[in-house]
Amino acid sequence: MHSPAQASSRVRFVLVEPQDSRNVGAVCRAMKTMGFHRLHVVGAGSLDREQAAISAVHAVDVLREAVFCDQLTEAVRDAVLVAGVTRRRGRWRKYFAVDPEGLGQRVAALATGTCAVVFGNESSGLSDRDLRQCHLAVQIPTSPEFPSLNLSHAVQLVAYALFRRLGGGLGGGQAGFRPTSADRLEELVAGVIGALRGIGYFTRGDPAELGVFWRDILARAALEQREADRLAELFGKIGGMVAGRNP
């Protein structure tokens, strides 16, 4: 069984192109109050670290130890679960979303591996492209009269839900469970699409859109590595059979 501190160390908060340095500092405070310290910031070359440090107050250590990246891919590459926090839905986004408590359950079920929670910027949130790099979407229930949340408030709510789940001694996960990495999942999705392309499925359909569909399903299933390997073998054989009939 993992201790709360061990469980929280596996959670990484990722900010994509934050616009207000003070918000970044407030995010550091929100994280630290819930026991989280791992922060990645994507595309924030203009960040005023002095302003961020002022609003971070006693969580300035989180800001000081933050990792700065140019691309979201860098911030989530090694994660076994990538969750994008968004309130927008659409054809090119996610078919399904969980609430913060549901995310906490998913994170607690993983015995090992990093879980990245991704937040978009203050004005437009996560782009379709950003969300496609996430395994699942997280939506925070809000009033329809005014559904918009400040970035640091959204981080606080998600961090609280994760703290309650992990801090309550439920972070032990399933014995022997080896989660599938983000890179391996992308390889699997590519294999599925390749096999479907080989049998002529895409005479009318869109491979990219179906890739989003498969990625969402497989990520939500929280595949174990052996399960991912079995599916890759299955679709690989389908592709091989098609290639054998069409030399």
Side-chain angles (χ1 to χ4, degrees), residues 95-236:
Y95 291 89
F96 177 83
V98 299
D99 59 17
E101 289 74 19
L103 174 63
Q105 293 174 356
R106 291 291 303 274
V107 174
L110 298 175
T112 60
T114 293
C115 303
V117 188
V118 184
F119 297 81
N121 65 39
E122 295 89 331
S123 61
S124 57
L126 291 175
S127 68
D128 292 357
R129 181 180 179 181
D130 293 335
L131 200 57
R132 282 198 292 272
Q133 296 187 58
C134 301
H135 298 148
L136 76 160
V138 179
Q139 287 189 319
I140 301 173
T142 55
S143 168
E145 295 180 8
F146 190 58
S148 179
L149 284 168
N150 177 273
L151 174 60
S152 64
H153 295 170
V155 170
Q156 187 76 77
L157 288 169
V158 173
Y160 172 73
L162 291 172
F163 174 77
R164 286 291 302 271
R165 174 60 63 167
L166 301 178
L170 299 178
Q174 306 164 15
F177 183 82
R178 299 180 304 155
T180 304
S181 69
D183 287 346
R184 182 69 178 109
L185 187 66
E186 289 302 317
E187 292 174 1
L188 178 56
V189 172
V192 171
I193 297 302
L196 293 175
R197 182 180 285 110
I199 64 174
Y201 180 84
F202 295 112
T203 54
R204 295 184 180 178
D206 187 329
E209 182 183 5
L210 196 63
V212 172
F213 174 76
W214 274 100
R215 187 177 297 107
D216 287 357
I217 289 179
L218 295 175
R220 196 162 67 244
L223 296 177
E224 203 267 349
Q225 289 184 26
R226 289 169 295 182
E227 295 172 320
D229 292 343
R230 185 72 182 274
L231 283 173
E233 178 185 13
L234 171 64
F235 282 96

